[in-house]
Amino acid sequence: MDGQNALGTSIVVKMFPLPFFLHFVLEEGMLEVDCPCVTPEVVLKASGHVDKFTDLMVKDEKTGNCYRADHLLKDFCKDKLEKDQTLSPEQAEEYNKILAILDDLSAEQLGAKIKEYGIVAPDTKNPLSDPYPFNLMFQTSIGPSGLSPGYMRPETAQGIFVNFKDLYYYNGNKLPFAAAQIGQAFRNEISPRQGLLRVREFTLAEIEHFVDPEDKSHPKFGDVSDLEFLMFPREDQMAGRSATRLKLGNAVSEGTVNNETLGYFIGRVYLFLTQLGIDKDRLRFRQHLPNEMAHYAADCWDAEIECSYGWIECVGIADRSAYDLRAHSDKSGEKLEAHEKFAEPREVEKLVITPSKKELGLAFKGNQRMVLEALEAMGETEALDMKATLESKGEVEFKVCTLGKDVTIKKSMVSINIEKKKEHQRKFTPSVIEPSFGIGRIIYCLFEHCFYQRPGKAEDEQLNVFGFPPLVAPIKCTVFPLVKLEKFEVVAKKISKALTAAGISHIIDMTGNTIGKRYARTDELGVPLAITVDNTTSVTVRDRDSKDQIRVEVDEVASVVKEVMDGQSTWADIMWRYPTHTASAAEDEAEP
Ligand code: AMP
């Protein structure tokens, strides 16, 4: 769908799933699912995507070219701040404020600012339309009749929600539990741009952690509560302040972060991203502004990473309350609930609404069912108000939405009571905490954060290095025979076999180029370790970043590489155990 995405996807396949699996799926004992990309309309209607998954768009009034309204306003403000030397402090303050609250602006507010600043179509300078919502889903139809509408999924999460019942059963009908899914998502972006950062088909990794809404504590919160990192609460954004370093434990206990489970996942995402190689000083957690957050969400934080395009939202971590499961339950009639069995039966007070079918039938005839359903659907406060009015006045006016009018309810038509009941279990709709990872974005930022240059031998020469940590490096190790000699090639092949058996991705370079050239190439690919076969019994192992070299027996070398790649030992640990290698052509990085 997008040329760049093919590249993104192939890199992602190698770099992302294993660390994600180890850090989240294995650590938390999560379930994993793989749901279809083509999704029936009914699912996305229930989730609200058909009606509300929109971005605000403006059109060039003459050519019809489309632009994202918030992007135009953002570019305008940034441009002014960076290039306009005549800007007064008040104007600069205003543009900074707009940038801080951009995601919070409604269609009307965006349109008003576009008009006020005289923003026109960037390509033609023609006037622009008012902003209007554009649905981002790709529509299709399922099956040959064309009668069954569907969409390419805009996120993977809905597949997990509709399968909740089976997943809950599979987990022994116990909460909390989580299910994870890595897969493609499709969004018909108005203006895809910035390489992997905004594309129309991209890889998402999503976790849905289901939890009791009455107990959002997390048994492992203590493991992350001492972490301290850049956080950007909404009050600080609205006041034009910068992100500050906060201790996660304090952010939760002071109520900045809504609950422990959400805090736990924020902490785990911080550890994950920094272990991948993201620079902790260019990573912040920004809380959603009031309008930016979905109305049903309890709290939401984005992990944003700074790169050459600015601060980019890479992971969204939201407490979506019980919205999704309730929405699917309501639409399908299938109860997506959890239950808690009590050790002892509990006496509870319950509201019991008992409409009289006979009286309602006499009074409302064909509309009887609608009135009855509306009475049964009343919340506790509304029902108790009705009871009080019926007792004092004998009748009450009652709005029935499905009829679109008020009807008069008489005392004989309904009985409303609070009754004491013994309950053996509690049924409830679980809340869900959702970390959602945009993998292409993380990988792109990782490329920038891991890239560095160092001087080569030649004057002014700079050599490129990708300093990927072993965990994410797509190629873990290279094997070079020092010179083109059969006896070295035999050893290189033997080592390659041992590496394959140990599950280490590697390449053999038999090109016979100078060793300096081969090291430079392997550094450019971000390969952490290089093995140079310069002897038939022992070989040289060279670390990419320090360029240190050690000598290791041929039979041991694969297990040494594996130790470092699995994170059981660091290169520094290994350096203690093996003799440093000096003075041979193998460390001569002279002429790349
Ligand atoms: P959202 O459901 O909108 O919060 O998106 C979840 C994650 O998907 C975001 O945090 C981004 O990292 C990523 N993402 C969203 N839209 C795109 C896109 N068009 N291209 C690449 N990644 C995206």
Side-chain angles (χ1 to χ4, degrees):
M1 199 161 281
D2 187 300
Q4 286 136 342
N5 203 56
L7 170 71
T9 306
S10 61
I11 296 164
V12 166
V13 164
K14 281 206 162 183
M15 296 181 83
F16 194 86
L18 182 64
F20 181 81
F21 176 77
L22 295 175
H23 190 86
F24 290 108
V25 179
L26 207 59
E27 173 72 27
E28 311 297 338
M30 291 176 183
L31 305 175
E32 272 190 292
V33 291
D34 190 2
C35 302
C37 294
V38 178
T39 310
E41 183 177 56
V42 63
V43 172
L44 294 161
K45 183 86 188 154
S47 66
H49 285 86
V50 172
D51 297 320
K52 299 217 181 87
F53 194 61
T54 54
D55 273 343
L56 292 169
M57 180 158 89
V58 284
K59 259 194 184 161
D60 180 321
E61 283 192 340
K62 292 201 177 129
T63 64
N65 281 350
C66 303
Y67 305 93
R68 242 181 86 163
D70 58 338
H71 285 174
L72 290 188
L73 185 58
K74 182 180 184 178
D75 292 347
F76 175 86
C77 293
K78 277 190 157 175
D79 220 48
K80 281 278 176 200
L81 287 164
E82 279 162 20
K83 297 186 188 146
D84 191 343
Q85 308 285 347
T86 62
L87 223 56
S88 68
E90 293 73 34
Q91 283 171 314
E93 194 186 334
E94 160 150 353
Y95 293 139
N96 274 319
K97 176 97 203 274
I98 299 269
L99 289 175
I101 58 161
L102 194 68
D103 293 326
D104 208 36
L105 298 181
S106 65
E108 291 71 30
Q109 289 167 320
L110 267 175
K113 282 290 162 202
I114 287 175
K115 280 218 166 68
E116 181 187 333
Y117 297 155
I119 299 173
V120 288
D123 309 313
T124 59
K125 312 295 175 229
N126 290 331
L128 293 164
S129 70
D130 286 335
Y132 62 97
F134 169 75
N135 194 298
L136 296 180
M137 289 194 296
F138 288 100
Q139 195 169 19
T140 181
S141 66
I142 302 169
S145 70
L147 298 174
S148 213
Y151 296 90
M152 302 304 289
R153 65 181 177 192
E155 58 175 32
T156 63
Q158 300 308 320
I160 297 181
F161 297 135
V162 295
N163 283 298
F164 171 79
K165 221 174 158 183
D166 288 341
L167 294 166
Y168 181 55
Y169 173 74
Y170 195 83
N171 200 55
N173 292 334
K174 286 201 177 68
L175 283 187
F177 78 92
Q181 173 162 217
I182 301 182
Q184 293 306 93
F186 306 82
R187 297 184 186 180
N188 196 5
E189 293 287 349
I190 297 166
S191 42
R193 56 186 194 173
Q194 300 166 337
L196 290 182
L197 299 185
R198 187 168 302 282
V199 285
R200 291 191 170 126
E201 176 180 347
F202 55 97
T203 313
L204 267 181
E206 291 190 293
I207 294 168
E208 308 303 325
H209 178 92
F210 298 100
V211 64
D212 184 342
E214 288 178 14
D215 179 12
K216 291 184 182 173
S217 61
H218 197 290
K220 292 202 283 181
F221 183 66
D223 295 356
V224 295
S225 60
D226 283 339
L227 291 174
E228 210 176 294
F229 45 79
L230 281 178
M231 297 189 87
F232 204 6
R234 65 170 72 94
E235 290 72 27
D236 290 348
Q237 297 167 54
M238 309 286 272
R241 292 190 287 265
S242 319
T244 42
R245 290 176 68 81
L246 295 181
K247 199 167 165 181
L248 188 54
N250 295 345
V252 171
S253 63
E254 287 160 13
T256 310
V257 172
N258 185 279
N259 60 73
E260 264 190 14
T261 301
L262 183 65
Y264 176 72
F265 279 102
I266 292 176
R268 292 291 296 167
V269 168
Y270 169 82
L271 290 174
F272 178 65
L273 293 173
T274 48
Q275 277 164 21
L276 290 185
I278 294 296
D279 177 357
K280 65 179 172 33
D281 295 324
R282 286 192 281 166
L283 167 63
R284 71 181 185 195
F285 288 80
R286 187 183 70 80
Q287 190 173 31
H288 274 206
L289 296 168
N291 281 347
E292 190 183 357
M293 195 160 77
H295 66 276
Y296 48 79
D299 195 8
C300 186
W301 293 74
D302 286 342
E304 295 185 332
I305 305 177
E306 193 184 26
C307 69
S308 51
Y309 291 109
W311 286 96
I312 303 296
E313 174 208 336
C314 290
V315 188
I317 311 150
D319 179 338
R320 300 174 56 88
S321 69
Y323 172 81
D324 304 277
L325 291 182
R326 273 212 191 107
H328 288 295
S329 288
D330 290 350
K331 190 82 187 169
S332 63
E334 176 91 59
K335 290 245 172 294
L336 300 177
E337 289 179 337
H339 50 257
E340 180 199 3
K341 282 215 166 69
F342 301 140
E344 295 288 328
R346 289 185 194 169
E347 195 161 85
V348 288
E349 290 197 329
K350 281 211 116 183
L351 172 75
V352 181
I353 302 172
T354 321
S356 159
K357 282 190 183 158
K358 188 175 153 211
E359 296 290 326
L360 293 176
L362 284 172
F364 302 112
K365 311 238 162 27
N367 290 335
Q368 177 212 8
R369 191 174 56 83
M370 262 86 96
V371 180
L372 184 137
E373 281 173 0
L375 285 169
E376 284 178 339
M378 279 190 295
E380 189 166 320
T381 321
E382 192 186 2
L384 292 178
D385 283 351
M386 177 181 274
K387 180 180 168 69
T389 317
L390 287 176
E391 272 162 16
S392 60
K393 298 192 179 140
E395 62 178 47
V396 65
E397 288 302 290
F398 176 58
K399 187 173 180 67
V400 180
C401 294
T402 43
L403 291 178
K405 62 175 184 182
D406 285 1
V407 297
T408 306
I409 299 292
K410 299 222 163 80
K411 207 171 169 186
S412 58
M413 294 177 187
V414 61
S415 92
I416 299 169
N417 290 305
I418 298 282
E419 291 177 6
K420 286 204 160 108
K421 281 197 159 185
K422 283 222 156 143
E423 285 202 337
H424 297 266
Q425 66 169 359
R426 176 181 144 240
K427 284 191 180 163
F428 58 94
T429 309
S431 282
V432 66
I433 313 282
E434 177 193 79
S436 171
F437 303 75
I439 300 177
R441 291 191 181 179
I442 297 173
I443 299 280
Y444 178 84
C445 294
L446 190 64
F447 283 178
E448 282 203 9
H449 289 203
C450 287
F451 180 80
Y452 64 94
Q453 290 189 312
R454 59 185 171 202
K457 277 273 160 88
E459 210 183 325
D460 293 341
E461 185 190 28
Q462 289 293 320
L463 301 177
N464 297 332
V465 184
F466 268 124
F468 297 135
L471 182 68
V472 286
I475 305 162
K476 309 288 185 203
C477 164
T478 37
V479 187
F480 310 135
L482 177 61
V483 282
K484 255 185 166 308
L485 279 180
E486 203 195 331
K487 60 177 183 175
F488 288 170
E489 290 187 2
V490 169
V491 174
K493 282 181 188 156
K494 183 177 170 190
I495 292 172
S496 166
K497 247 188 163 169
L499 288 169
T500 305
I504 303 287
S505 62
H506 63 281
I507 44 175
I508 306 190
D509 184 344
M510 304 272 208
T511 55
N513 281 332
T514 64
I515 200 71
K517 259 198 184 125
R518 285 188 276 179
Y519 281 152
R521 190 171 143 60
T522 192
D523 292 345
E524 226 166 35
L525 292 172
V527 183
L529 295 178
I531 299 171
T532 300
V533 182
D534 47 6
N535 191 299
T536 51
T537 52
S538 68
V539 290
T540 301
V541 182
R542 178 237 193 211
D543 171 57
R544 175 197 61 212
D545 296 315
S546 63
K547 298 199 273 181
D548 290 334
Q549 300 182 8
I550 53 171
R551 280 211 80 73
V552 181
E553 296 298 303
V554 169
D555 292 338
E556 268 179 72
V557 73
S559 62
V560 166
V561 173
K562 187 168 168 54
E563 255 181 68
V564 180
M565 294 308 129
D566 288 353
Q568 288 158 8
S569 303
T570 62
W571 174 254
D573 301 332
I574 299 286
M575 286 279 291
W576 278 103
R577 293 197 343 233
Y578 292 90
T580 312
H581 178 71
T582 48
S584 105
E587 87 281 6
D588 180 5
E589 307 205 4
E591 1 62 278

